[in-house]
């Protein structure tokens, strides 16, 4: 048996070598990086109250049209979980990697702000944020609304308010995606962390990086459709693999190459 909290493998030398020589590191994260903080992923069964619902169906404009109260409550429940959660070792390792890569570009599909709370500097949010609310009619970001109705009502036009997140079938914020694609194209090493790689266009970013010569490394305890296309699939939880990657890089930087 392996001791708890220890990876059953070491980080391959070839990854450490490429990382040591890299100038541009780009990371894409998904719900899996927050799993060890206790935030449920999208494609894992939900607990208790919400076990009857499929999150991938609640996250849609159709669901909001059908039952705005249900969708608002689901997001309020998720926000409650995230409020009580703390960044984990995976989030913190990504912050520490900025010491080696001051231009590290961190692209996330998550709406939980845990990267920002951990201290990551420049986070590109592809799917919006649980912590912003907008008018479902006019799209304007609204703060300071009354919570007496569920969903709350836009104080300016009377339409329902909705979370400022990207739902299935909706376009991503164009400027954020453009920056993410650019960073992917320019990267020397690209880390795809804790994402099922099923949702496009986010799932195209590692492929853009790979096509442009980046070393593509996946970090996930489960195989995904990306695994076969990655140069390396590091099988394990982000909270263990990322600190191990950081330690290996630190050790390599301290040991001058002969
Ligand atoms: N460390 C790393 N990865 C993990 C961990 C962990 N500790 N635990 C689970 N995972 C992996 C799972 O194996 C899975 O591949 O995280 C992934 C989570 O997948 P999804 O739930 O599909 O989340 P994500 O890829 O972020 O979903 C993309 O879908 O519903 C939409 O908009 C939503 O942004 C979301 C998008």
């Amino acid at each position: 048996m392996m001791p708890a909290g220890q990876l059953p493998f070491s980080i391959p030398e070839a990854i450490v070598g490429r990382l040591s020589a890299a100038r541009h590191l780009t990371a894409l994260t998904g719900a899996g990086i927050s799993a060890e903080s206790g935030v449920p992923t999208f494609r894992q069964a939900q607990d208790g109250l919400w076990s009857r619902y499929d999150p991938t169906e609640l996250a849609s404009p159709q669901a909001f049209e059908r039952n705005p109260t249900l969708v608002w409550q689901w997001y309020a429940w998720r926000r409650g979980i995230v409020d009580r959660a703390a960044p984990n070792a995976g989030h913190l390792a990504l912050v520490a990697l900025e010491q080696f890569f001051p231009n590290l570009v961190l692209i996330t599909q998550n709406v939980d702000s845990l990267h920002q709370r951990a201290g990551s500097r420049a986070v590109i949010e592809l799917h919006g944020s649980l912590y912003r609310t907008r008018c479902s009619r006019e799209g304007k970001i609204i703060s300071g609304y009354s919570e007496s109705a569920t969903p709350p009502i836009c104080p300016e036009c009377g339409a329902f308010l909705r979370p400022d997140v990207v739902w299935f079938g909706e376009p991503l914020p164009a400027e954020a995606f453009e920056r993410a694609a650019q960073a992917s194209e320019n990267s020397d090493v690209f880390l795809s962390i804790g994402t099922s790689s099923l949702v496009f266009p986010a799932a195209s970013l590692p492929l853009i990086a790979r096509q442009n010569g980046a070393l593509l490394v996946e970090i996930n305890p489960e195989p995904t459709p990306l695994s076969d296309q990655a140069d390396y699939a590091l099988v394990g939880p982000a909270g263990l693999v990322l600190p191990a990657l950081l330690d290996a890089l630190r050790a390599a930087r301290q040991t001058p190459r002969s």
Side-chain angles (χ1 to χ4, degrees):
M1 257 180 52
M2 63 163 173
Q6 201 169 311
L7 270 187
F9 58 86
S10 49
I11 303 297
E13 269 298 312
I15 299 182
V16 182
R18 282 288 287 273
L19 263 181
S20 299
R23 286 185 55 219
H24 298 289
L25 174 64
T26 302
L28 169 69
T29 62
I33 194 159
S34 297
E36 289 157 87
S37 294
V39 181
T41 66
F42 284 90
R43 287 169 182 78
Q44 95 190 15
Q46 296 202 67
D47 295 334
L49 191 61
W50 292 99
S51 56
R52 287 183 297 133
Y53 298 96
D54 177 352
T56 59
E57 279 177 24
L58 288 169
S60 75
Q62 293 77 9
F64 190 68
E65 223 162 87
R66 257 193 322 266
N67 196 338
T69 306
L70 179 78
V71 172
W72 182 270
Q73 284 170 336
W74 183 64
Y75 278 99
W77 172 74
R78 287 190 72 90
R79 200 161 41 228
I81 292 176
V82 170
D83 283 345
R84 293 187 298 275
N88 65 53
H91 296 108
L92 296 173
L94 284 170
V95 179
L97 277 170
E98 290 182 6
Q99 293 163 7
F100 297 103
F101 302 97
N103 302 325
L104 187 151
V105 178
L106 178 51
I107 306 162
T108 189
Q109 299 166 85
N110 298 345
V111 293
D112 59 22
S113 289
L114 285 174
H115 287 305
Q116 290 91 332
R117 280 169 56 193
S120 280
R121 274 199 300 253
V123 182
I124 300 179
E125 287 179 324
L126 289 183
H127 292 170
S129 171
L130 275 179
Y131 291 98
R132 281 191 309 268
T133 296
R134 69 176 143 105
C135 172
S136 62
R137 185 182 295 151
E138 289 157 345
K140 188 171 166 192
I141 301 294
I142 303 284
S143 49
Y145 51 85
S146 155
E147 305 233 12
S148 56
T150 308
I153 301 298
C154 176
E156 295 186 14
C157 76
F160 287 135
L161 293 179
R162 56 165 281 181
D164 185 32
V165 300
V166 177
W167 284 333
F168 284 106
E170 295 183 324
L172 270 57
E175 193 259 347
F177 187 74
E178 183 49 43
R179 279 193 295 134
Q182 194 75 56
S184 305
E185 203 177 309
N186 291 341
S187 55
D188 301 311
V189 178
F190 188 103
L191 306 177
S192 175
I193 307 161
T195 173
S196 57
S197 294
L198 289 171
V199 176
F200 285 80
S204 66
L205 294 170
L207 305 175
I208 293 176
R210 179 96 168 80
Q211 274 155 17
N212 285 279
L215 183 81
L216 176 55
V217 180
E218 178 179 65
I219 298 172
N220 198 313
E222 304 290 336
T224 76
L226 185 70
S227 307
D228 284 346
Q229 299 180 65
D231 295 294
Y232 292 91
L234 301 180
V235 179
L240 285 184
V241 178
L242 282 168
L245 193 71
L246 179 66
D247 284 349
L249 184 61
R250 281 187 175 136
R253 290 279 169 110
Q254 277 162 13
T255 319
R257 289 182 178 251
S258 50

